[in-house]
Amino acid sequence: YLDLCNDAALLMRLELHGVDVANRWQGLAEKCRYRKADCILTFIDAHFALVLATVDDAVTDLALDVQQKYAETNPQEDNARVVGEVGVKLARGLVAYRRGQYKATIKSLLPIRYDLRKIGGSHAQRDLFSMILLDAALREGRTELARSLAGERKKCHPTNSWSKRAYERAMALT
């Protein structure tokens, strides 16, 4: 499953950089489709949701419902608590993003952006979700939010080409 997460993150980053990854998501979706109810770790489940939503798989919403139910029915488990606090919102935000629902993406991801450390993974791995939030703000035309997020990124990643382009896009919004 970690290879699957890495593959999904790479494809998403390539797309954020404007690279056409063609049908490469399909192979990942085949693997995720049968793991939709695993609830292994919040970090992994978020990537599963991203993959399934990218190919508009019929089980995407079912996977979200399974996460919600898991969080509600297993409050004694650490992972279930993280799913309830962060994971469900993260997964719903990623699904909304892939469906072009940028306002819903922002609504889901913005309130949890400082809590993403709870899901595990490295700073670099979780950074993908910050990139998605910023891209959603840019696509939605949320000028002040996009400028704020882009400014934070530029300060943290001053030599990163994507951060530079996102900052330029944000400053160009009117």
Side-chain angles (χ1 to χ4, degrees), residues 64-133:
L64 295 175
D65 293 342
V66 166
Q67 282 188 22
Q68 182 73 48
K69 186 171 185 170
Y70 168 69
E72 291 170 356
T73 58
N74 297 285
Q76 73 286 359
E77 292 182 23
D78 290 339
N79 186 54
R81 280 194 297 277
V82 173
V83 170
E85 293 170 9
V86 181
V88 171
K89 292 175 188 134
L90 174 59
R92 290 191 187 285
L94 297 174
V95 169
Y97 178 81
R98 295 313 286 182
R99 291 178 174 167
Q101 300 166 348
Y102 305 119
K103 186 175 184 177
T105 302
I106 295 164
K107 185 177 179 182
S108 291
L109 297 184
L110 188 61
I112 62 166
R113 70 190 184 117
Y114 294 122
D115 294 326
L116 289 176
R117 61 178 166 60
K118 294 179 182 180
I119 71 169
S122 68
H123 291 294
Q125 289 171 316
R126 291 188 308 268
D127 184 53
L128 174 65
F129 307 130
S130 299
M131 292 172 73
I132 289 170
L133 173 59

Side-chain angles (χ1 to χ4, degrees), residues 29 32-34 36 52 56-65:
C32 291
R33 197 169 284 126
Y34 303 103
K36 66 186 171 297
L52 293 171
D56 197 26
D57 196 286
V59 300
T60 304
D61 292 320
L62 176 61
L64 295 175
D65 293 342

